[in-house]
Amino acid sequence: MHDDVVQAQYAQLRSAAIEVLDAMPGAADSSPQFHDALKSLRAALEGETPPRSLPTRSSLDPFEHSLVARSYVGQRAEPISLAERAVELRRRLEGDRDLEDRLPGEPSRNVAVTELRAMIVAGLLEELAARLSPGAAFGPGRSGEELARLAKDLADELLAQTFVGE
């Protein structure tokens, strides 16, 4: 009796999943990985062996890619290498204004932090830099070096504004 209930539930789940697949709109902008996943799901639901797809480069490698930033190409989000992320952030920082520079009538939008918070943020940036540099945490890879240098530079800039930097 228990097997009959399980089989009935499985059949109901299978039917519902196939209905979802059939009802999905054409996903012309979807990634190849999405299409492969749908094919595998349909094959599994139909009792066939899912086609084996080769691993794709779009999966994020934390030793090579930023985990928090993407580059948008059309409707797709593409991974950004750690080196590319460092270049982009440095470029943005170079275009930043001085703390006191403002257009006439522009409100101050600078963030003020206490000395203690600045030291804690700097400490976290130093920890991040150590983790992105080749060594025990990051391994022998050198992909994170530019981002590590940027984090260290920002930490030094913050610390220079505290009693630690005096």
Side-chain angles (χ1 to χ4, degrees):
M1 166 111 175
H2 178 68
D3 288 340
D4 292 339
V5 171
V6 170
Q7 285 182 341
Q9 288 174 333
Y10 174 77
Q12 184 179 12
L13 176 62
R14 182 177 173 274
S15 293
I18 289 173
E19 283 181 46
V20 168
L21 289 173
D22 289 340
M24 287 189 64
D29 293 332
S30 298
S31 70
Q33 296 81 10
F34 180 71
H35 287 290
D36 289 346
L38 287 178
K39 286 179 190 174
S40 294
L41 177 60
R42 182 174 293 279
L45 291 169
E46 292 174 349
E48 300 171 7
T49 304
R52 295 193 69 104
S53 58
L54 296 173
T56 60
R57 181 154 163 71
S58 71
S59 59
L60 294 178
D61 178 352
F63 294 100
E64 295 289 329
H65 299 105
S66 170
L67 298 177
V68 297
R70 302 282 187 283
S71 172
Y72 287 88
V73 178
Q75 296 291 321
R76 292 192 353 208
E78 297 291 331
I80 297 176
S81 74
L82 296 175
E84 290 170 332
R85 182 71 171 149
V87 168
E88 175 205 351
L89 292 174
R90 281 202 186 272
R91 181 188 53 76
R92 289 173 58 190
L93 284 170
E94 287 170 3
D96 196 14
R97 61 178 171 73
D98 287 332
L99 286 174
E100 302 305 319
D101 290 347
R102 279 185 209 83
L103 295 173
E106 182 181 40
S108 172
R109 289 200 172 96
N110 294 324
V111 177
V113 297
T114 64
E115 193 169 49
L116 176 60
R117 287 181 190 275
M119 290 187 298
I120 289 171
V121 169
L124 291 170
L125 286 169
E126 289 175 329
E127 178 70 20
L128 173 64
R131 289 177 178 273
L132 286 169
S133 297
F138 197 75
R142 305 187 80 81
S143 300
E145 282 185 310
E146 284 304 312
L147 213 49
R149 266 194 282 283
L150 175 60
K152 182 67 172 116
D153 291 348
L154 288 171
D156 292 345
E157 185 180 321
L158 277 173
L159 287 175
Q161 299 175 53
T162 69
F163 76 88
V164 174
E166 293 178 341

